[in-house]
Amino acid sequence: MNDPAAALTANGAGGVVPAAPTPSQPQRKTLQETIHDIETQINRFEQIAKANQLDARQEQDLKKLRDLLSKAHAEQDRVRSDKLRQQEVQQQLAKSQQQQQQQQQQQSGTAAAGRSSRTTAMGDSRYSAESAQVLNKKKIQDLVKEIDPNTQLDEDVEEMLLQIADDFIENIVTSGCQLAKHRKSNTLEVKDVLLHLERNWNMWIPGYTSEENRPQKRPAATEAHRQRMALIRKTLKK
């Protein structure tokens, strides 16, 4: 359909004549330019109408131009509305992408913090477990180094010593609980452990065993002392 704004021009007498032929490939006008051309044509017809020189055909053309202008304005409003909706959609998409990136960063940070806390917790638990042991490999190595810094223990030997220590402690605790039960008590006390060590292992713990309960051993006689005692006995027999 030909554009009335491009197809119609007003002559000097107010008539409408065909527009000049267009090139084979005319440049397409924008909607705003088309509206401007239609408004220009309407203004010309209105000026002719004011001079009472508008014939019936020109009145029909003016009516068509006004209808076309109304449709052009409606199309212009629709294009603007579409642009606004597109802008809103783009803004929402950009905002959604930004939120997703922030969530991913937060999740990555949370996961990294969780891995770090789990690693720290595992390290702390291992350290706590080793610290809670009465005897562990490090303590065995320290004891050996105090005796001979150049001595090294085989790993199997360390495991065997740890097993012996665990068995020894378990035996002491079990026997101590039996002694506590014998005196009708539900609490294992130091005296129960000490009594078991003294009776079954002949062990006296410094700082816990009283001197009055500790058996007094006669000092071993030296060779010079024995010779003196023999000389005294020989003198008394004379």
Side-chain angles (χ1 to χ4, degrees):
M1 179 177 180
N2 294 331
D3 187 357
L8 299 176
T9 56
N11 58 10
V16 178
V17 297
T22 58
S24 59
Q25 294 181 352
Q27 186 177 3
R28 189 173 181 178
K29 293 183 179 182
T30 64
L31 181 60
Q32 185 64 34
E33 291 175 346
T34 301
I35 291 174
H36 181 267
D37 292 342
I38 295 174
E39 289 176 345
T40 301
Q41 295 293 333
I42 290 174
N43 290 333
R44 290 178 181 178
F45 279 118
E46 288 177 348
Q47 290 177 0
I48 295 173
K50 289 179 180 180
N52 295 324
Q53 297 179 356
L54 194 66
D55 56 20
R57 183 179 178 182
Q58 291 174 340
E59 289 180 356
Q60 292 179 357
D61 291 339
L62 178 60
K63 183 178 179 180
K64 291 180 181 179
L65 287 171
R66 286 174 177 172
D67 292 340
L68 188 60
L69 180 63
S70 177
K71 293 180 180 179
H73 282 306
E75 180 67 16
Q76 188 180 41
D77 294 338
R78 187 189 67 80
V79 171
R80 289 177 180 175
S81 179
D82 290 342
K83 287 183 179 180
L84 290 175
R85 283 197 297 268
Q86 290 178 358
Q87 290 178 355
E88 291 177 355
V89 171
Q90 291 177 354
Q91 291 176 356
Q92 291 177 356
L93 288 174
K95 185 177 180 180
S96 177
Q97 291 177 354
Q98 185 178 4
Q99 290 177 351
Q100 289 179 357
Q101 292 177 354
Q102 291 178 353
Q103 290 178 356
Q104 291 176 355
Q105 292 176 355
Q106 291 176 355
Q107 291 176 356
S108 300
T110 304
R115 289 193 297 269
S116 177
S117 62
R118 286 194 298 271
T119 303
T120 303
M122 291 175 63
D124 292 342
S125 62
R126 287 196 298 267
Y127 176 78
S128 299
E130 292 181 357
S131 300
Q133 290 180 343
V134 177
L135 188 65
N136 53 35
K137 291 183 179 181
K138 186 177 183 305
K139 292 182 180 180
I140 291 177
Q141 293 173 359
D142 293 340
L143 290 172
V144 172
K145 287 181 180 179
E146 290 180 2
I147 299 172
D148 186 357
N150 297 324
T151 301
Q152 292 183 353
L153 296 179
D154 187 72
E155 186 174 356
D156 293 337
V157 176
E158 293 178 351
E159 293 293 340
M160 182 183 66
L161 292 175
L162 289 175
Q163 185 62 43
I164 293 173
D166 290 340
D167 295 341
F168 179 71
I169 294 172
E170 183 178 358
N171 178 270
I172 292 174
V173 173
T174 302
S175 300
C177 290
Q178 292 176 353
L179 292 173
K181 185 178 180 180
H182 179 70
R183 59 181 178 83
K184 299 180 180 181
S185 174
N186 295 326
T187 304
L188 177 63
E189 298 182 2
V190 177
K191 60 183 179 181
D192 301 317
V193 176
L194 293 177
L195 183 59
H196 172 72
L197 292 175
E198 292 171 2
R199 289 184 176 181
N200 297 276
W201 297 93
N202 196 26
M203 294 178 61
W204 309 88
I205 309 302
Y208 291 95
T209 304
S210 60
E211 293 296 333
E212 58 184 12
N213 294 330
R214 184 172 181 176
Q216 299 294 330
K217 294 183 179 180
R218 297 177 62 184
T222 62
E223 184 64 25
H225 178 70
R226 285 195 295 270
Q227 291 178 0
R228 286 195 296 270
M229 292 301 297
L231 180 59
I232 294 172
R233 293 192 192 95
K234 186 176 178 181
T235 304
L236 290 176
K237 289 181 180 180
K238 290 181 180 180

